[in-house]
């Protein structure tokens, strides 16, 4: 029996006695005890099954698995029944019934599956086989991921034989039983990740899809042809490697016999080497033809997809262009230009001035007033009083500017009298006194 890691509570005798006690008849009687026992044992069933790499187990196998030092989990039967009601466990018959292909088969097995899933009678659960849906989904996803990785590395269509699918499952999970492999296959088929078809010779071909893809395409004749060509290519590669190794061995043997002086034996190995080289050349030619044919099939399939896409795109393009007309487009553009002109006129009218009927303002007077304001502002900044505007025709009195005092004697200058006003109505102004230099 496979080993599994026991939980921390397993060695607590008092705790395990409480968890292994019989389950209450109804949850309403002791809800806390009921929930604790169901949660502990249902989780332990899944975790131990995952570590044991098993996706199904009978009720008796589960009972024996948790038997420790004579201590038996008396509540295990009730926990299994409750887990089946919660669908965390399923009976094998009900699982197979859910994965049937036709509705007729599904309806035929529903009655017996329902009875097996309820299991109300005593120890009847010990004879049933239970499957673990969560683990089946987890294992199936891992196997599908490994297949996708291999397909990308080999650039093939991913077709497998039934033996190849079994080998793939065993490569990921070496301890997986045949029954568990069938459970994984049934889930992949139900999830539309697997398609199968019988070949003409009766062999079953299995096609898997990638994890990101929604569904798998059916197996076609081209898929089967590519699979068989790939098998031939693999076989030829093995044979070529074997013949090449034999050619190398014959060459070494011929050299060895020649060094020992056994010329006839050396010639025998050389004749065999020559025949092997001819066989090797033939097999390499066949292998090249097979690879070339595979490449052509893949290219033809890609071309077919491209042509189909082009035809579909052309059909849609034709439908779209059917509703377009050049004359209608010209009329539409004319209407659009008229509407644009109309909108421009409306915008111009809205942005116009409402004082258009008022008298126009003389810009010359405004400019003179602006110059006067600027002059007053400059006078205020310099600290001098602004010059008043002259309203009479009296001439301004010119006052000479006093020159700076010099240390040398300057010739005496006669002061110039200002011109008197000529108007009879104006009052004559006295000339200002000019300062006389101190030297005089």
């Amino acid at each position: 029996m496979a080993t599994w890691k026991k939980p921390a509570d397993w060695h607590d005798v008092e705790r395990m006695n409480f968890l292994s006690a019989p389950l209450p008849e109804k949850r309403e009687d002791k809800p806390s005890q009921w929930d604790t026992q169901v949660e502990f044992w249902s989780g332990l069933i899944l975790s131990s099954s995952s570590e044991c790499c098993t996706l199904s187990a009978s009720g008796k196998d589960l009972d024996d698995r948790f038997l420790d030092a004579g201590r038996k989990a008396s509540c295990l039967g009730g926990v299994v029944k409750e887990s089946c009601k919660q669908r965390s466990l399923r009976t094998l018959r009900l699982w197979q019934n859910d994965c049937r292909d036709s509705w007729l088969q599904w309806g035929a097995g529903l009655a017996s599956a329902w009875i097996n899933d309820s299991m109300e009678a005593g120890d009847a659960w010990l004879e049933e086989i239970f499957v673990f849906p969560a683990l089946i989904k987890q294992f199936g996803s891992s196997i599908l991921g490994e297949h996708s990785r291999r397909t990308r590395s080999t650039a093939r269509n991913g077709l497998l034989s039934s033996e190849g699918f079994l080998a793939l499952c065993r490569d990921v999970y070496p301890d997986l039983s045949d029954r568990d492999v069938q459970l994984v296959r049934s889930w992949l088929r139900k999830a539309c990740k697997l398609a199968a078809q019988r070949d003409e010779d009766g062999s079953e071909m299995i096609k898997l899809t990638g994890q990101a893809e929604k569904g798998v395409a059916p197996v076609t004749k081209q898929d089967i042809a590519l699979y068989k060509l790939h098998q031939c290519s693999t076989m030829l590669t093995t044979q070529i490697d074997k013949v090449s190794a034999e050619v190398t061995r014959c060459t070494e043997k011929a050299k060895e016999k020649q060094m020992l002086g056994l010329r006839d034996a050396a010639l025998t190995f050389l004749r065999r080497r020559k025949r092997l080289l001819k066989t090797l050349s033939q097999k390499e030619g066949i292998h090249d033809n097979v690879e070339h044919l595979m490449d052509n099939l893949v290219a033809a399939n890609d071309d077919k997809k491209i042509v189909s896409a082009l035809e579909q795109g052309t059909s849609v393009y034709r439908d779209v262009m059917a509703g377009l007309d050049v004359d209608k487009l010209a009329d539409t553009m004319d209407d659009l230009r008229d509407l644009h002109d109309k909108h421009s006129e409306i915008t111009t009218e809205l942005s116009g001035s409402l004082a258009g009927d008022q008298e126009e303002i003389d810009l010359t007077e405004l400019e003179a007033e602006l110059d006067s304001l600027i002059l007053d502002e400059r006078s205020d900044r310099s600290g001098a009083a602004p010059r008043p505007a002259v309203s009479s025709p009296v001439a301004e009195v010119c006052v000479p500017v006093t020159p700076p005092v010099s240390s040398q004697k300057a010739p005496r200058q006669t002061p110039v009298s200002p011109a008197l006003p000529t108007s009879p109505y104006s009052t004559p102004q006295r000339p200002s006194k000019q300062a006389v230099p101190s030297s005089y």
Side-chain angles (χ1 to χ4, degrees), residues 125-384:
W125 68 276
L126 293 173
E127 305 300 327
E128 288 289 342
I129 297 177
F130 301 95
V131 299
F132 316 120
L135 295 182
I136 293 175
K137 184 177 181 180
Q138 176 184 343
F139 281 37
S141 299
S142 300
I143 293 172
L144 198 63
E146 175 64 19
H147 175 71
S148 300
R149 187 188 63 80
R150 295 183 181 182
T151 303
R152 287 193 301 267
S153 61
T154 57
R156 300 303 180 188
N157 60 351
L159 203 65
L160 298 171
S161 63
S162 56
E163 296 80 7
F165 179 75
L166 178 61
L168 173 65
C169 295
R170 294 282 171 77
D171 289 342
V172 182
Y173 298 101
D175 298 331
L176 208 61
S177 63
D178 293 342
R179 182 175 64 189
D180 293 342
V181 171
Q182 294 301 320
L183 291 175
V184 171
R185 174 176 171 172
S186 63
W187 177 80
L188 290 174
R189 189 166 187 173
K190 182 180 178 181
C192 298
K193 299 293 185 180
L194 181 146
Q197 184 176 340
R198 293 281 179 181
D199 193 9
E200 297 177 355
D201 56 0
S203 59
E204 187 179 29
M205 297 288 103
I206 297 176
K207 187 176 183 179
L208 298 175
T209 186
Q211 290 179 317
E213 299 179 11
K214 294 182 178 180
V216 61
V219 181
T220 61
K221 293 182 179 180
Q222 180 182 354
D223 295 333
I224 297 176
L226 284 174
Y227 172 78
K228 291 184 176 181
L229 288 173
H230 178 62
Q231 294 296 106
C232 293
S233 176
T234 304
M235 178 187 66
L236 287 171
T237 301
T238 304
Q239 293 177 357
I240 289 173
D241 293 340
K242 184 177 180 181
V243 174
S244 298
E246 186 66 19
V247 169
T248 303
R249 191 185 71 85
C250 290
T251 303
E252 297 296 331
K253 285 290 185 181
K255 293 180 180 180
E256 180 183 348
K257 297 299 182 182
Q258 177 65 21
M259 293 178 64
L260 295 176
L262 303 176
R263 184 176 180 82
D264 294 338
L267 292 175
T268 301
F269 280 108
L270 288 178
R271 283 193 294 269
R272 176 173 173 78
R273 177 178 176 272
K274 188 175 182 179
R275 290 195 303 269
L276 290 175
L277 286 174
K278 184 178 180 180
T279 303
L280 181 62
S281 177
Q282 294 174 349
K283 290 186 177 298
E284 288 178 346
I286 297 174
H287 183 266
D288 291 340
N289 293 334
V290 171
E291 290 289 333
H292 184 65
L293 181 56
M294 291 175 62
D295 294 338
N296 289 340
L297 281 176
V298 173
N301 186 36
D302 294 339
D303 294 341
K304 183 179 179 181
K305 292 180 181 179
I306 293 174
V307 171
S308 178
L310 289 175
E311 291 177 352
Q312 184 177 2
T314 303
S315 177
V316 175
Y317 191 27
R318 186 183 297 108
D319 296 339
V320 172
M321 293 298 296
L324 299 178
D325 185 77
V326 178
D327 297 334
K328 291 182 179 180
L329 178 60
D331 296 338
T332 302
M333 294 303 297
D334 292 339
D335 294 340
L336 182 60
R337 293 188 187 96
D338 294 339
L339 291 173
H340 182 268
D341 295 340
K342 185 177 180 180
H343 181 261
S344 299
E345 293 177 1
I346 293 174
T347 304
T348 303
E349 291 295 332
L350 289 175
S351 61
S353 175
L354 297 178
D357 55 346
Q358 296 182 1
E359 184 180 357
E360 294 185 358
I361 301 175
D362 188 3
L363 296 180
T364 305
E365 296 179 0
L366 294 179
E367 291 179 357
E369 184 179 355
L370 179 61
D371 294 339
S372 177
L373 293 175
I374 294 174
L375 184 60
D376 293 343
E377 183 179 358
R378 291 178 178 175
S379 301
D380 293 340
R381 291 180 180 177
S382 61

Side-chain angles (χ1 to χ4, degrees), residues 84 87 89-100 106 109-110 112-114 116-118 128-129 131:
C84 288
R87 290 182 172 268
L89 295 182
R90 305 283 280 172
T91 61
L92 180 60
R93 294 184 183 183
L94 184 56
W95 175 267
Q96 292 174 343
N97 180 73
D98 291 343
C99 296
R100 294 180 189 272
W106 178 84
L110 183 59
S112 60
W114 180 264
N116 290 324
D117 196 33
S118 59
E128 288 289 342
I129 297 177
V131 299

